[in-house]
Amino acid sequence: MFFNSLNFMDYVWCFIVGGFICIIAQILIDKTKITPARILVLFVTVRCSSSEDFGIYKYIIEFAGAGATVPLTGFGANLAKGAINGVKEYGLLGAFTGGIKAAAGGIAAAIFFRIHCFSCCKTKNEEAVVCFFLLFL
C-alpha cells in the first residue's frame, strides 16, 4: 500500500531543513535592517552560486527533498541549472533565456494564481490591478 512505502524520517528531515531555511530568513528580518525583498534575492543568489560553484546544495536536496526545493532556494536552483544548461546549448544568450525556460512553470503558475486572486478579491489600488491584468492579456 501507499502508506507502507512512506518513510516517516524523510518527512521529518524535510520539515527540519525547510524550517531551518525559514528560521534563517526570520532572523535576518528581525535582527538586521535588510528588507524582506532583499532577503529573498539573497536566498536566490546564494542558492544559485552554491549550486554550481560548490555543489553543496545538491546534497542538501538529496537529503531533505522538498524541504530544500520548495522554498525560494528551490527557485534559485531552477534558475541556476537552466542558465548553465542554456549557456552550454546556446552560448551567452542562453544565460538569459535558460533560467526563464527552466522556471517557466513556476512563473506561469504564480502569474495565473495572482490574476485569479485579483479577480476574486478587492485590493486597495484597483488601478494597479487593472494595469497588471491588461499587461498579461
Side-chain angles (χ1 to χ4, degrees):
M1 291 208 61
F2 174 73
F3 291 111
N4 293 337
S5 66
L6 298 178
N7 184 357
F8 180 72
M9 285 309 294
D10 288 343
Y11 291 105
V12 171
W13 285 116
C14 174
F15 180 77
I16 290 172
V17 171
F20 183 71
I21 292 170
C22 293
I23 288 171
I24 292 171
Q26 191 62 49
I27 290 171
L28 288 172
I29 289 170
D30 292 343
K31 300 296 182 186
T32 66
K33 293 185 178 186
I34 303 173
T35 63
R38 289 185 178 168
I39 292 171
L40 294 176
V41 171
L42 176 73
F43 272 31
V44 170
T45 307
V46 166
R47 171 57 190 104
C48 286
S49 65
S50 69
S51 159
E52 300 302 325
D53 294 344
F54 306 113
I56 297 168
Y57 207 74
K58 67 180 177 182
Y59 298 113
I60 297 172
I61 291 173
E62 288 174 11
F63 176 72
T69 59
V70 171
L72 198 58
T73 53
F75 182 70
N78 280 340
L79 289 176
K81 280 186 178 180
I84 289 169
N85 291 338
V87 167
K88 289 178 183 174
E89 191 172 338
Y90 300 110
L92 182 60
L93 183 61
F96 301 104
T97 60
I100 300 300
K101 281 184 182 179
I107 294 169
I111 291 171
F112 172 78
F113 289 115
R114 187 61 186 144
I115 289 173
H116 178 68
C117 288
F118 281 160
S119 66
C120 295
C121 305
K122 293 288 183 186
T123 63
K124 292 180 183 179
N125 191 352
E126 291 293 330
E127 290 178 15
V129 173
V130 171
C131 289
F132 182 82
F133 188 70
L134 292 175
L135 180 67
F136 288 103
L137 284 181

